[in-house]
Amino acid sequence: MKYWNSFEIAWVFIFLSLGIIITIITNDSILNFIILITGILCVVFAAKGRIFTYVFGIINSILYSYTAYSNGLFGEVGLNILFYIPMNFIGFFIWKKHLSNRIVIMKKMNIIKTIIILLISGFSIFMLGFFLSSLRGQNTPYLDASTNIIGITATFLMIWRYREQWLLYIILNLLTITMWLLRFANGSSDGSIMILMWTAFLINSVYGFYNWSKNAENLK
């Protein structure tokens, strides 16, 4: 735990403990608990700027795809299988070329690029939501589309090492928590552990923005 601070240790311990409690109380599957573990390790390593994020990201995306499919969230399935898994491999090799003392070198984005990305993302969300709404069995099409497009955009910013990824991840996590709350309200047995995982991701995103802001200034 040489490279971990007290906040990171406490954050991981608390949410893994809550995961164990929820798994036992709700008789949830071991699969969902593994998704929680790999997801937490993936995002905390991302916040720290450590390349191990991509190793756990690959495992998490594969397992999460199955759970999303079981809940009729086909946009989430496509996002993970067709995008997150290959991008984790790409991100690993790109970050490997931009390390300083085992930490990725971080950057900030200017306002013009930020506005352009927001406009393109908004249009893409509308188009994908319209397509998903035509699929039989699809739940919450525009919410699903929002998590897809924001997730894709944030992933590219992460691979390109921009701090602004974390602002998008904050929005993404809030939307995904809402999506799983709706699934939980409709009787999904996977809802409770997924809500816990994405809540952990939300807290980590705030920490990630703080940590990357600090290091982007120092490493610029």
Side-chain angles (χ1 to χ4, degrees), residues 34 37-43 45-46 50-63 84-85 87-93 95-96 158:
I34 295 174
I37 294 174
T38 55
I40 285 177
L41 291 176
C42 172
V43 298
F45 276 124
R50 301 293 298 276
I51 199 170
F52 293 113
T53 181
Y54 292 109
V55 177
F56 291 103
I58 292 170
I59 300 171
N60 181 262
S61 292
I62 294 172
L63 300 179
Y84 281 151
I85 293 174
M87 291 304 284
N88 272 303
F89 284 102
I90 294 172
F92 180 89
F93 290 106
W95 273 31
K96 191 175 181 181
M158 177 179 175

Side-chain angles (χ1 to χ4, degrees), residues 97-114:
K97 297 178 181 179
H98 299 91
L99 296 177
S100 175
N101 297 323
R102 301 184 181 183
I103 303 296
V104 72
I105 298 173
M106 305 165 189
K107 301 185 294 183
K108 294 180 181 179
M109 182 175 291
N110 62 46
I111 188 65
I112 295 177
K113 287 182 179 179
T114 302

Side-chain angles (χ1 to χ4, degrees), residues 171-195:
I171 299 172
L172 172 64
N173 295 330
L174 287 170
L175 290 174
T176 309
I177 289 169
T178 301
M179 183 174 66
W180 279 107
L181 281 170
L182 293 173
R183 297 305 306 131
F184 180 73
N186 287 325
S188 171
S189 60
D190 302 312
S192 55
I193 199 75
M194 291 298 109
I195 292 169

